[in-house]
Amino acid sequence: MKPIDLRSDTLTQPTPAMRKAMANAEVGDDVFEEDPTLKKLETLAAKKTGKESALFVPSGTMGNLVSVLSHCQRGDEILLGDRSHIFLHEVGGIAALGGVHSRIIPNNPDGTLPLPLLENSIRQSDIHYPPTRLICLENTHNFCQGSPLSPEFMDSVRVLATKYGLKIHLDGARIFNAAVALDIEVETLTRQADSVMFCLSKGLSAPVGSLICSSRQFIQRARKFRKMVGGGMRQAGHLAAAGLVALENLVQRLKDDHLNAKTLAEQLALIKGIELDQTKIKTNIIFFKLNHPQIDGDTFINLLEAKSIKILMTDPGVFRAVLHRDVSREQTETVAQTIQSILTL
Ligand SMILES: *Cc1c(COP(=O)(O)O)cnc(C)c1O
């Protein structure tokens, strides 16, 4: 039996329409900027985020790295959340490869940053200090229950950024989830960011790829940095073809994942031994704690695997389940029932 795999929405397989589009894509050498399908994807991505220009990159991690490199010089400081993907899960690339110094702000549980603390963390000019250059935000916030950040929060960060002459980079790996959850256009959430990265390879189900969207001038710099880190690709239009299908046809479908997440969270919250605040579940990501007298985290994972269900333990006793296109409503029922039976052993 094929497992029910809730470890991540990156596990989604390309749709039949994507496979067909990939096979038939018209392609060229993108380092020479001659791939028509890739150009089409970049144009559409720029339009959706309300930016002048866009750049295709192989991964979200490279998209964030190249964006930070394009904003900052070595020795600059950036402000980012302690639960942010850039800080926690990108191998420290901005420091290792960019010489960029991270100033960590504790995230609020909803993925926002406390504004007074953010403002207090912006450096004055002083011989001892690295210059603050950039604020990084994340929407939806992966490790804060997949929370969508509101346009109002973006507006208030913009006010600070403008006041102190800083730039804003938005890690919008799941920005389409945020827009669908809030029932607004993506552009409303990206307007206040100088640059935004989003992923095609998560809930949008494309096999590979992310986009950086920003001003024409910024994208020119980013193109150079992408080449520097080895991300210049040749006939990448084959990948872009799947991305076009994703952006054109699969965005509204994300609502199904959100509904499935909500239903699953409701059911899990009723199970003894599980700690979960279901009111926090707004998109496709569920975090919960296990609090059971006999079953520890590793045992729980093993018992689930034996029933062909996979979830991720992100910290001891803390689990993440991500809903996506390859998990049906019926399968979420199976997951809830299985967890119930394991914990009432
Ligand atoms: C997945 C993710 C990334 C990185 O994307 P990859 O394509 O896996 O490198 C960046 N930010 C957030 C919030 C993510 O969830």
Side-chain angles (χ1 to χ4, degrees):
M1 193 174 82
K2 204 165 167 274
I4 302 174
D5 204 333
L6 296 165
R7 287 172 302 166
S8 179
D9 45 9
T10 55
L11 290 151
T12 43
Q13 294 275 318
T15 66
M18 281 177 181
R19 290 176 191 270
K20 194 157 167 250
M22 289 168 76
N24 298 328
E26 196 189 329
V27 295
D29 188 325
D30 182 55
V31 173
F32 289 98
E33 300 186 39
E34 288 171 7
D35 189 302
T37 307
L38 197 46
K39 282 188 182 168
K40 203 172 155 199
L41 174 66
E42 289 173 342
T43 304
L44 181 61
K47 182 161 171 265
K48 293 240 180 209
T49 52
K51 303 293 176 202
E52 281 175 359
S53 193
L55 185 72
F56 184 74
V57 286
S59 69
T61 301
M62 190 188 283
N64 284 332
L65 172 65
V66 163
S67 297
V68 173
L69 291 177
S70 304
H71 279 297
C72 300
Q73 301 194 329
R74 300 185 69 81
D76 284 349
E77 185 168 77
I78 73 173
L79 303 174
L80 74 178
D82 68 336
R83 305 293 292 156
S84 68
H85 197 277
I86 296 179
F87 180 60
L88 289 178
H89 293 282
E90 299 186 6
V91 209
I94 57 170
L97 306 176
V100 172
H101 194 242
S102 287
R103 178 99 181 244
I104 300 310
I105 320 270
N107 275 113
N108 291 320
D110 66 358
T112 60
L113 295 171
L115 290 170
L117 196 54
L118 187 62
E119 183 162 14
N120 277 337
S121 306
I122 299 168
R123 306 273 194 170
Q124 312 290 318
S125 99
D126 181 301
I127 186 78
H128 302 86
Y129 294 161
T132 311
R133 188 73 58 202
L134 179 69
I135 301 170
C136 288
L137 301 171
E138 186 173 318
N139 197 7
T140 62
H141 202 294
N142 188 341
F143 279 78
C144 293
Q145 304 272 3
S147 300
L149 272 53
S150 69
E152 292 73 27
F153 175 71
M154 296 300 298
D155 290 346
S156 33
V157 176
R158 181 79 260 168
V159 171
L160 274 188
T162 304
K163 183 170 166 192
Y164 293 93
L166 308 180
K167 302 288 186 193
I168 300 175
H169 172 68
L170 180 60
D171 175 351
R174 295 185 183 80
I175 195 72
F176 285 88
N177 292 81
V180 162
L182 300 170
D183 203 15
I184 53 180
E185 296 295 321
V186 161
E187 194 189 340
T188 313
L189 292 168
T190 53
R191 184 176 294 152
Q192 305 294 16
D194 295 284
S195 59
V196 55
M197 182 287 289
F198 72 82
C199 294
L200 297 164
S201 54
K202 300 196 165 164
L204 291 176
S205 306
V208 178
S210 296
L211 285 122
I212 304 169
C213 308
S214 184
S215 67
R216 199 160 285 121
Q217 200 188 4
F218 183 89
I219 293 299
Q220 242 166 27
R221 284 170 62 74
R223 187 180 292 279
K224 188 105 176 164
F225 280 116
R226 181 186 68 173
K227 189 77 182 108
M228 189 189 285
V229 296
M233 292 167 284
R234 304 300 177 172
Q235 285 74 32
H238 283 300
L239 303 174
L244 280 164
V245 174
L247 288 185
E248 281 162 1
N249 301 321
L250 292 167
V251 172
Q252 288 307 314
R253 196 211 55 78
L254 294 170
K255 281 185 184 148
D256 302 345
D257 301 342
H258 299 176
L259 196 61
N260 285 344
K262 196 161 176 276
T263 313
L264 179 58
E266 275 164 19
Q267 291 168 334
L268 293 180
L270 297 173
I271 298 172
K272 240 182 124 202
I274 289 206
E275 282 177 36
L276 167 62
D277 181 355
Q278 45 165 310
T279 62
K280 293 218 172 103
I281 311 306
K282 306 246 165 63
T283 63
N284 66 328
I285 299 177
I286 302 173
F287 277 88
F288 63 87
K289 279 195 189 131
L290 182 68
N291 190 358
H292 193 280
Q294 276 103 42
I295 297 170
D296 68 10
D298 290 321
T299 312
F300 183 58
I301 291 278
N302 291 338
L303 289 168
L304 279 172
E305 284 227 21
K307 301 276 185 193
S308 250
I309 294 170
K310 296 188 182 191
I311 62 171
L312 210 61
M313 184 156 70
T314 57
D315 278 306
V318 179
F319 301 87
R320 190 185 74 169
V322 185
L323 281 296
H324 56 77
R325 208 186 91 252
D326 294 344
V327 179
S328 67
R329 168 56 75 95
E330 295 71 48
Q331 287 176 315
T332 64
E333 309 270 334
T334 309
V335 171
Q337 282 159 15
T338 309
I339 291 180
Q340 165 89 55
S341 69
I342 286 174
L343 295 182
T344 48
L345 273 179

